[in-house]
Amino acid sequence: MIIKTVNLETVCGITSTFPDNQLPEIAFAGKSNVGKSSLINAIMNRKSLARTSAQPGKTQTVNFYNVNEAFYLVDLPGYGYAAANQQVKAQWGKMIERYLHKTQKLKAVFLLLDIRHAPSANDREMYHWIMHYGYRPVIIATKLDKIKRSQVAKQLKLLREGLEADRETVMIPFSALSKQGREEIYALLDELFARESADGSQL
C-alpha cells in the first residue's frame, strides 16, 4: 500500500451525526495512552496527522480521515482515561458503541493494546463489544520497542489469554519508533481491499 493523500474530512463529537460515507472504513480503537496517534501517523506516513500528546485522553471525537480517496481511516476516542470523570467515560463509550452499531461501511477494526501489560477490564470490554457487532478485531501490540525481543512471544500470549482470543485472532507487534509491524498492517489492508473488491466480505 502506498499512501498518496490523507485528509481529515469529518470530526464527530458526542451529539454529532456520523457521515454516510460511501467508501470502506477501517477503525482504530485503543486505550487513551496506548500510542494510537503514533500508530496512525506511522501507517499514514505523516509526522503529525493525528495529534500525539504527553497527556492521554486527547482524542475525544471520532475522526474520519480520507485516504487516497479510497477508504476512511476512523480514529475512535481513546477509552479508559483515568483522569476523566465517570460521566465523560460513559459518553466516550457510548460514542464508540454508537459508531459500531450505526456504521454501514466498516470493514475491519484494529484494537491497540500495550504489549507490556495484560489487557485491562476496558480492553476486554472493547474487545467483546467489537466481537458483539460482528467484527474480529486485529490486535496491534504497541510499544514493542519497550521490551526485549526474547519477551515478545510471552507478552503476545499474555494478551491473547487475557482477551480470551482464539488462535484465529491476528496479533501484530508494533513499534512507532522503528515502524516494525507497519508492513504487516499494510499487507492486511491490501488483502482486505482485494477481498472486498472481489466479493464484498470483511475481515
Side-chain angles (χ1 to χ4, degrees):
M1 175 173 288
I2 299 174
I3 306 301
K4 297 178 180 177
T5 60
V6 185
N7 296 298
L8 177 58
E9 195 168 283
T10 309
V11 176
C12 294
I14 291 168
T15 60
S16 301
T17 299
F18 293 125
D20 183 20
N21 290 325
Q22 299 306 304
L23 296 174
E25 296 173 358
I26 307 296
F28 287 78
K31 203 150 50 177
S32 57
N33 60 349
V34 78
K36 181 159 53 68
S37 295
S38 296
L39 169 74
I40 290 172
N41 288 334
I43 62 176
M44 292 296 100
N45 204 25
R46 302 292 192 275
K47 288 185 177 180
S48 56
L49 178 68
R51 289 180 299 174
T52 60
S53 174
Q55 179 186 356
K58 277 292 187 181
T59 306
Q60 301 176 17
T61 53
V62 180
N63 300 329
F64 293 81
Y65 296 91
N66 186 319
V67 183
N68 291 348
E69 298 293 331
F71 70 95
Y72 285 96
L73 185 156
V74 183
D75 182 9
L76 297 174
Y79 58 84
Y81 179 39
N85 64 43
Q86 290 302 317
Q87 182 180 1
V88 170
K89 288 180 183 178
Q91 288 175 331
W92 293 348
K94 287 178 181 177
M95 185 160 43
I96 295 171
E97 189 173 19
R98 183 163 62 91
Y99 168 73
L100 293 174
H101 178 66
K102 293 286 187 181
T103 180
Q104 299 296 313
K105 292 295 185 178
L106 182 60
K107 301 304 176 183
V109 183
F110 289 81
L111 177 59
L112 280 63
L113 301 178
D114 189 326
I115 198 170
R116 299 172 296 176
H117 308 298
S120 67
N122 285 319
D123 292 326
R124 293 192 296 272
E125 182 178 39
M126 180 58 63
Y127 176 79
H128 290 295
W129 259 2
I130 296 167
M131 293 285 286
H132 172 76
Y133 285 106
Y135 303 94
R136 180 186 293 276
V138 175
I139 306 301
I140 307 296
T142 63
K143 307 196 179 184
L144 177 63
D145 47 277
K146 303 291 187 182
I147 65 172
K148 297 177 181 178
R149 185 176 299 179
S150 61
Q151 297 175 302
V152 173
K154 175 186 173 184
Q155 294 304 115
L156 290 178
K157 182 180 179 182
L158 183 71
L159 294 182
R160 192 179 297 276
E161 291 178 349
L163 294 173
E164 298 180 345
D166 60 29
R167 291 179 177 272
E168 301 299 315
T169 300
V170 176
M171 289 193 168
I172 301 175
F174 177 81
S175 167
L177 291 180
S178 69
K179 308 300 187 290
Q180 183 175 336
R182 182 167 63 176
E183 293 304 317
E184 287 88 341
I185 295 171
Y186 285 161
L188 268 181
L189 292 176
D190 285 339
E191 177 187 348
L192 169 64
F193 292 132
R195 198 187 314 162
E196 170 73 11
S197 62
D199 61 14
S201 62
Q202 66 188 28
L203 278 179

